[in-house]
Every structure is written in structure tokens, then in C-alpha cells.
Amino acid sequence: MWNIILYSSAPCHDKFDHANLPGRLVPRDQIDMSMIRGWLHKCEAEHGAACNTAYLGQDLLASGQLILVDVVDDCLTYSTPKTRYLTLSYVWGQVSQLRLLTSNTSRLFTPGGLSREPISTPKTIRDALQVVRQIGERYIWIDALCIIQDSAEDVQRQLPRMGSIYGESLATLIAVDGTNADEDLPGVRPFTRRPTLYHQWTDLGIDIAHRPTFRQTIERSRYNTRGWTFQERLLAKRCIFFSAGEVSFQCREQLWFESIWEDADSHSSTTSPDLVNVMTHWSLLPATDVDAQTLFNNYYIDLVQGFTEKTLGNPEDILSAFAGIVEHVTKTTKTTFFCGLCSPLTESLLWYHPTRAPSRREAGAPGQFPSWSWAGWKAPVRYD
């Protein structure tokens, strides 16, 4: 599939009659943040319950125990039940980065505390804070800064609530092309875009530049290989993807691109072949009782098969990185899970490894990863 994109070194203005020209110039140097604000407003105002229904689990917000980054006061703060916030999904990698610890908690909760820390904030996080400011929001949840990393109690309290944290956020910013936390969100700061373009001369002597499709961009990224980011993207109501070529917006109703006018209906439909989700109908899982067999056939199989293809830096995180999905399914369907398996257990046990001899996941407490669960093995699984 060919995807054509036009780049401009000048600012992009909404002055053109695009009724018959759905393509839009993409500024080469920097993203027009008013476009992202427009996407969010259009989704909130026009998409109804599909994109605006409150998540079922609001315990962290209601309790005021959810730590957020305040981009105005440059510090950490606690949420209130009505706080609007965004989330960030990115690859940590092996770089040194500022983290919330028991030793720096009081400093980071002091206005201006983030900038005064001796360990600098990595580029991905710094750019995410700038996006939040420029689209007119104030708060964002970022795991490195909003979970006390050296507190086992805080980690264990928050990991099972990833469904609530990502599901309640206004939108999730996704660093598609990043291989670690110290890489730019392309286009947030000037001249940080490095699009990969391919050129082909037509018979008419026209040089056509094309880029990978949205699907190819996601599927080829390191981001797409990681176990933690699997559930983060899946649980979000809205995703804003930052890639080298352009910024894109996906909610439960639409998929919009920086290079295409969002009111060009033929390009923004959810039937677009580029609409990528692990399972599109997953995000519309009804908040009603679903019989166990339907849940297993329509949701669980795809979730487990997709998740077990991903990699984890720490093998012990296999169930923790799946916990947000378990939380969401449990609260919307009342289904129970045991070691990653859901009812009906007789069918959940019928997984197999299709490609290679797997190795056992030996880490963890005795019995934490039993051999009869897919979580007990380090390899992709399939169901027939």
C-alpha cells in the first residue's frame, strides 16, 4: 500500500479549501499543537459514550492516592476525583532517568522540584510534559515518576490498577519510535522530526515521496514488542501516537492523521485498513454480564496470543504486565482469573506453543508461575 505525505518547511495553516483535497501539509520542523487540541475536543464533544464513558474503577482517583505530574508547578501532586490527566506509554530502555524514590519524594512534591533534581528528566518525559502544557492540560501520569520505584508496597498497590489508571486518563501519549526514555517525541521540539521517506519517479516526471503506513509504523516499532506497552495502549480511551513521520490520533470511534484532514470522512472511518488495535472490539467490551464462553472466544484468546508474543525485561513481570487487562475484564464482566487463566478453565488450559520448545519461567515465589499456565513459560502460545 502506498501512503503519500507532503512535508512543508513553513507553518501549516488551516486556510485552504480542502473539500476535495483531504491531504494536508505536515510541518517538517514541529507539530501544530492546536490540531491535537482540536482532535481531543472533537472526540469529547461528538463521540458520545463510546469514548467518554467513565472507567468502572475510580478507587485511586477517589482516594486521592494517585500521584500525578503537575506540568504548571513542575512537581508531583495528588489527584482529586475530578482531575483530568493524561498518561504516557513509552519504552524505558537502559538509560538513567529521574525516578520517584522514597529519598526524593518530599523534594519532588515541592513546586519546581522536578527541575532542581540532579538527575535530569529524559527527553521522552520532558517532551511529554511539554505536550501537556501546549494542549492546555495540566496533569500527566508517568510510571517512573508516579510510582515509588523502591517501595514494594506502592508498586504492588498500583500495578494491578493499570486498567483504572490508563482507562480513566483523557488520552495516552505513545512514543512509537523510541527505543529508550531519552529519545525525542518527534515534532514536539523544533527540528526533531527525522521522517523516513522513499522516493519514486512517475512516468510524468513527478517525484512521489511515500512513507510506511500507520500499521507498518506500529508493527515495526520496538514499542510494539514490549509486554508492558501492550496493555497500556489497549486500556486507553484515546491514543496520540508520536512517530518520525507524523502524529496520529486513535479513539474508539476514529483514526486521524496529521497528514489528512479529520473531516475527510473517507479517510477517518474506523473501517480504515490502517486502524490498528490488538482487538478493536476489545475497547468496547460492555459493562454488562458476558457469558464465559463468549468472553473466552471473542476476547481472551486474542489477548493472550497477542500478549505472549511480547517481551519483558524482567521475566517475573509476566502477570503484573497483564494485570490491567485482568482488572478491566473482571470489573466489566465479573469473570475470575487464576494465574492468567480465565473461566472456563477447562478451555483456558488448552494452550500450546506453536513454534519452539519453551523454557520455564523459574523466577518468583514457589507456585507463582505453575507449569499448567501459559504464564509459567517463556514463549508465545496459541489456542485452536
Side-chain angles (χ1 to χ4, degrees):
M1 176 180 177
W2 290 84
N3 223 347
I4 300 172
I5 185 168
L6 299 175
Y7 283 91
S8 171
S9 59
C12 187
H13 300 288
D14 294 359
K15 294 181 179 179
F16 304 102
D17 178 8
H18 54 274
N20 297 310
L21 184 64
R24 143 168 72 189
L25 290 177
V26 175
R28 183 181 291 274
D29 59 343
Q30 201 167 8
I31 297 166
D32 179 1
M33 291 296 173
S34 66
M35 176 190 61
I36 296 180
R37 289 197 300 271
W39 286 341
L40 287 169
H41 174 76
K42 189 177 181 72
C43 177
E44 287 190 279
E46 299 179 8
H47 289 175
C51 295
N52 295 298
T53 300
Y55 190 77
L56 295 182
Q58 299 185 14
D59 49 337
L60 281 174
L61 279 175
S63 67
Q65 295 180 327
L66 184 65
I67 297 173
L68 299 172
V69 179
D70 183 336
V71 303
V72 175
D73 288 343
D74 189 35
C75 65
L76 303 183
T77 188
Y78 286 104
S79 66
T80 70
K82 299 296 183 181
T83 302
R84 282 168 62 97
Y85 68 95
L86 289 87
T87 42
L88 175 65
S89 182
Y90 64 109
V91 176
W92 274 43
Q94 301 299 315
V95 298
S96 175
Q97 63 173 304
L98 177 62
R99 298 181 301 153
L100 177 61
L101 304 170
T102 53
S103 59
N104 64 12
T105 299
S106 60
R107 297 197 305 273
L108 293 181
F109 273 84
T110 303
L114 289 172
S115 297
R116 289 195 293 264
E117 281 297 297
I119 301 176
S120 62
T121 304
K123 293 176 183 177
T124 302
I125 294 178
R126 189 166 66 241
D127 286 350
L129 303 185
Q130 183 169 329
V131 171
V132 175
R133 280 191 295 269
Q134 292 186 340
I135 66 174
E137 298 295 332
R138 181 165 183 168
Y139 303 104
I140 183 169
W141 186 91
I142 300 171
D143 51 7
L145 296 175
C146 299
I147 299 176
I148 305 174
Q149 300 296 318
D150 58 351
S151 167
E153 179 182 357
D154 195 51
V155 170
Q156 292 306 313
R157 180 175 63 89
Q158 294 211 51
L159 290 186
R161 293 168 174 172
M162 291 296 105
S164 298
I165 292 171
Y166 281 89
E168 276 300 319
S169 70
L170 173 66
T172 295
L173 310 181
I174 295 182
V176 175
D177 291 330
T179 59
N180 61 65
D182 201 34
E183 295 189 13
D184 303 308
L185 287 183
V188 173
R189 286 176 290 112
F191 310 111
T192 53
R193 282 184 155 165
R194 303 172 185 86
T196 300
L197 296 178
Y198 305 93
H199 296 264
Q200 179 177 359
W201 285 93
T202 68
D203 293 337
L204 299 176
I206 300 174
D207 181 18
I208 297 179
H210 65 95
R211 58 174 172 82
T213 65
F214 178 67
R215 178 183 296 277
Q216 290 169 341
T217 298
I218 300 297
E219 291 181 346
R220 295 173 182 175
S221 67
R222 184 178 179 191
Y223 174 88
N224 193 52
T225 70
R226 308 301 292 170
W228 282 103
T229 59
F230 177 89
Q231 69 169 3
E232 292 168 3
R233 179 179 166 217
L234 194 62
L235 294 166
K237 288 183 287 194
R238 305 174 184 91
C239 295
I240 303 171
F241 298 89
F242 294 84
S243 67
E246 64 176 325
V247 63
S248 309
F249 177 97
Q250 180 184 356
C251 63
R252 296 173 183 173
E253 290 282 334
Q254 301 286 345
L255 175 63
W256 292 324
F257 300 101
E258 189 177 4
S259 59
I260 300 174
W261 292 99
E262 59 269 19
D263 54 359
D265 292 336
S266 63
H267 295 268
S268 61
S269 167
T270 54
T271 60
S272 164
D274 277 338
L275 182 59
V276 177
N277 207 331
V278 178
M279 193 165 57
T280 302
H281 59 283
W282 144 262
S283 61
L284 302 176
L285 188 65
T288 56
D289 289 335
V290 176
D291 68 88
Q293 193 64 55
T294 298
L295 174 71
F296 181 82
N297 292 338
N298 293 347
Y299 299 91
Y300 181 78
I301 290 176
D302 285 343
L303 288 170
V304 171
Q305 291 182 166
F307 177 67
T308 55
E309 291 176 350
K310 310 304 180 184
T311 59
L312 293 164
N314 182 357
E316 293 186 40
D317 287 341
I318 183 69
L319 292 178
S320 295
F322 198 67
I325 291 172
V326 170
E327 181 199 19
H328 181 72
V329 175
T330 300
K331 288 183 175 179
T332 53
T333 67
K334 310 304 180 185
T335 298
T336 57
F337 283 78
F338 187 65
C339 292
L341 303 181
C342 79
S343 57
L345 280 176
T346 52
E347 297 193 33
S348 294
L349 288 164
L350 299 179
W351 53 267
Y352 67 96
H353 297 289
T355 56
R356 65 177 186 269
S359 59
R360 282 284 281 126
R361 196 179 307 275
E362 299 292 351
Q368 183 178 2
F369 305 119
S371 61
W372 43 260
S373 169
W374 50 261
W377 301 87
K378 292 185 282 188
V381 304
R382 289 290 181 270
Y383 285 92
D384 282 338

